Coordinates of all heavy atoms in Angstrom, one line a residue:
P1391 N 17.6 -3.5 -2.7 CA 17.2 -2.3 -2.0 C 15.9 -1.7 -2.4 O 15.5 -1.9 -3.6 CB 18.4 -1.3 -2.4 CG 19.5 -2.2 -2.8 CD 18.9 -3.4 -3.5
M1392 N 15.2 -1.1 -1.5 CA 13.8 -0.6 -1.8 C 13.9 0.5 -2.9 O 12.9 0.6 -3.7 CB 13.2 0.1 -0.6 CG 12.6 -1.0 0.4 SD 11.3 -2.0 -0.4 CE 10.2 -0.8 -1.1
S1393 N 14.9 1.3 -3.0 CA 15.0 2.2 -4.1 C 15.0 1.6 -5.4 O 14.3 2.0 -6.4 CB 16.3 3.1 -3.9 OG 17.5 2.2 -4.0
A1394 N 15.7 0.4 -5.6 CA 15.7 -0.3 -6.8 C 14.3 -1.0 -7.0 O 13.8 -1.1 -8.2 CB 16.8 -1.4 -6.8
I1395 N 13.7 -1.5 -6.0 CA 12.4 -2.1 -6.1 C 11.4 -1.1 -6.7 O 10.6 -1.4 -7.6 CB 11.9 -2.6 -4.7 CG1 12.7 -3.7 -4.1 CG2 10.4 -3.0 -4.7 CD1 12.5 -5.1 -4.7
N1396 N 11.4 0.1 -6.1 CA 10.4 1.1 -6.6 C 10.7 1.5 -8.0 O 9.8 1.7 -8.8 CB 10.5 2.3 -5.7 CG 10.0 2.1 -4.3 OD1 9.1 1.2 -4.1 ND2 10.5 2.8 -3.3
R1397 N 12.0 1.5 -8.4 CA 12.3 1.9 -9.8 C 11.9 0.9 -10.8 O 11.3 1.2 -11.8 CB 13.9 2.1 -9.8 CG 14.3 2.7 -11.2 CD 15.8 3.2 -11.1 NE 16.7 2.1 -10.8 CZ 17.4 1.8 -9.7 NH1 17.2 2.7 -8.7 NH2 18.2 0.8 -9.6
V1398 N 12.1 -0.4 -10.5 CA 11.7 -1.4 -11.4 C 10.2 -1.6 -11.5 O 9.6 -1.8 -12.5 CB 12.3 -2.8 -11.0 CG1 11.9 -3.9 -11.9 CG2 13.8 -2.7 -11.0
N1399 N 9.5 -1.4 -10.4 CA 8.0 -1.4 -10.4 C 7.4 -0.4 -11.3 O 6.4 -0.6 -12.0 CB 7.5 -1.3 -9.0 CG 7.5 -2.6 -8.2 OD1 7.6 -3.7 -8.7 ND2 7.4 -2.5 -6.9
K1400 N 8.0 0.8 -11.4 CA 7.5 1.8 -12.2 C 7.7 1.5 -13.7 O 6.9 1.9 -14.5 CB 8.3 3.1 -12.0 CG 7.9 3.8 -10.6 CD 8.7 5.1 -10.4 CE 8.3 5.7 -9.1 NZ 9.1 7.0 -8.8
V1401 N 8.6 0.6 -14.0 CA 8.8 0.2 -15.4 C 7.9 -1.0 -15.7 O 7.3 -1.1 -16.8 CB 10.3 -0.2 -15.6 CG1 10.5 -0.9 -17.0 CG2 11.2 1.0 -15.5
L1402 N 7.8 -2.0 -14.8 CA 7.1 -3.2 -15.0 C 5.6 -3.0 -14.9 O 4.8 -3.7 -15.6 CB 7.5 -4.3 -14.1 CG 9.0 -4.8 -14.2 CD1 9.2 -6.0 -13.3 CD2 9.3 -5.2 -15.7
G1403 N 5.1 -2.1 -14.1 CA 3.7 -1.9 -13.9 C 2.9 -1.6 -15.2 O 2.0 -2.3 -15.5
P1404 N 3.4 -0.6 -16.0 CA 2.7 -0.4 -17.3 C 2.8 -1.6 -18.3 O 1.9 -1.8 -19.0 CB 3.5 0.8 -17.8 CG 4.0 1.5 -16.6 CD 4.4 0.4 -15.7
R1405 N 3.9 -2.3 -18.2 CA 4.0 -3.5 -19.1 C 3.0 -4.6 -18.7 O 2.4 -5.2 -19.6 CB 5.4 -4.1 -19.0 CG 6.5 -3.1 -19.5 CD 7.9 -3.8 -19.5 NE 8.9 -2.8 -19.8 CZ 10.2 -3.1 -19.9 NH1 10.6 -4.4 -19.6 NH2 11.1 -2.2 -20.2
F1406 N 2.8 -4.7 -17.4 CA 1.7 -5.7 -17.0 C 0.4 -5.3 -17.5 O -0.4 -6.1 -18.0 CB 1.7 -5.7 -15.4 CG 0.5 -6.3 -14.8 CD1 0.2 -7.7 -14.9 CD2 -0.5 -5.5 -14.3 CE1 -0.9 -8.2 -14.3 CE2 -1.7 -6.0 -13.8 CZ -1.9 -7.3 -13.8
I1407 N 0.0 -4.0 -17.3 CA -1.3 -3.5 -17.8 C -1.4 -3.7 -19.3 O -2.5 -4.1 -19.8 CB -1.5 -2.0 -17.4 CG1 -1.5 -1.8 -15.9 CG2 -2.8 -1.5 -18.0 CD1 -2.6 -2.6 -15.2
T1408 N -0.4 -3.4 -20.1 CA -0.4 -3.6 -21.5 C -0.7 -5.1 -21.9 O -1.5 -5.4 -22.7 CB 0.9 -3.1 -22.2 OG1 1.0 -1.7 -21.9 CG2 0.8 -3.3 -23.7
K1409 N 0.1 -6.0 -21.2 CA -0.1 -7.4 -21.5 C -1.5 -7.9 -21.2 O -2.1 -8.6 -22.1 CB 0.9 -8.2 -20.7 CG 0.8 -9.7 -20.9 CD 1.8 -10.5 -20.0 CE 1.6 -12.0 -20.2 NZ 2.6 -12.8 -19.5
Y1410 N -2.0 -7.5 -20.1 CA -3.3 -8.1 -19.7 C -4.5 -7.3 -20.4 O -5.6 -7.8 -20.6 CB -3.5 -8.2 -18.2 CG -2.7 -9.3 -17.7 CD1 -1.3 -9.3 -17.5 CD2 -3.3 -10.6 -17.6 CE1 -0.6 -10.4 -17.1 CE2 -2.6 -11.7 -17.2 CZ -1.2 -11.6 -17.0 OH -0.5 -12.7 -16.6
G1411 N -4.2 -6.0 -20.8 CA -5.2 -5.3 -21.6 C -5.3 -6.0 -23.0 O -6.4 -6.1 -23.5
T1412 N -4.2 -6.4 -23.5 CA -4.2 -7.1 -24.8 C -4.9 -8.5 -24.7 O -5.6 -8.9 -25.5 CB -2.7 -7.4 -25.2 OG1 -2.0 -6.1 -25.4 CG2 -2.7 -8.1 -26.6
K1413 N -4.6 -9.2 -23.6 CA -5.4 -10.4 -23.3 C -6.9 -10.2 -23.3 O -7.6 -10.9 -23.9 CB -4.9 -11.0 -22.0 CG -5.7 -12.3 -21.6 CD -5.2 -12.7 -20.2 CE -5.9 -14.1 -19.8 NZ -7.3 -14.0 -19.6
Q1414 N -7.3 -9.1 -22.7 CA -8.7 -8.8 -22.7 C -9.2 -8.6 -24.1 O -10.3 -9.1 -24.5 CB -9.0 -7.5 -21.8 CG -10.4 -7.3 -21.5 CD -11.0 -6.3 -22.5 OE1 -10.4 -5.7 -23.3 NE2 -12.3 -6.1 -22.4
G1415 N -8.5 -7.9 -24.9 CA -8.9 -7.7 -26.3 C -9.0 -9.0 -27.1 O -10.0 -9.2 -27.8
V1416 N -8.1 -9.9 -26.9 CA -8.1 -11.2 -27.5 C -9.3 -12.0 -27.1 O -10.0 -12.6 -27.9 CB -6.8 -12.0 -27.2 CG1 -7.0 -13.4 -27.7 CG2 -5.6 -11.3 -27.9
L1417 N -9.6 -11.9 -25.8 CA -10.8 -12.7 -25.3 C -12.1 -12.1 -25.9 O -13.1 -12.8 -26.2 CB -10.8 -12.7 -23.8 CG -9.7 -13.6 -23.2 CD1 -9.8 -13.5 -21.7 CD2 -9.8 -15.0 -23.6

């Protein structure tokens, strides 16, 4: 359901940014 999609995206979005921000730091 879209309600669940939106809820999970709010959790995973910041995790994605943290992961790839860290990658940037490593590079």
Side-chain angles (χ1 to χ4, degrees):
M1392 277 306 304
S1393 58
I1395 294 281
N1396 291 331
R1397 187 166 66 249
V1398 179
N1399 278 343
K1400 288 180 180 178
V1401 172
L1402 295 185
R1405 294 183 187 181
F1406 161 76
I1407 297 300
T1408 298
K1409 176 179 179 178
Y1410 284 84
T1412 300
K1413 176 182 185 292
Q1414 191 264 351
V1416 171
L1417 291 178

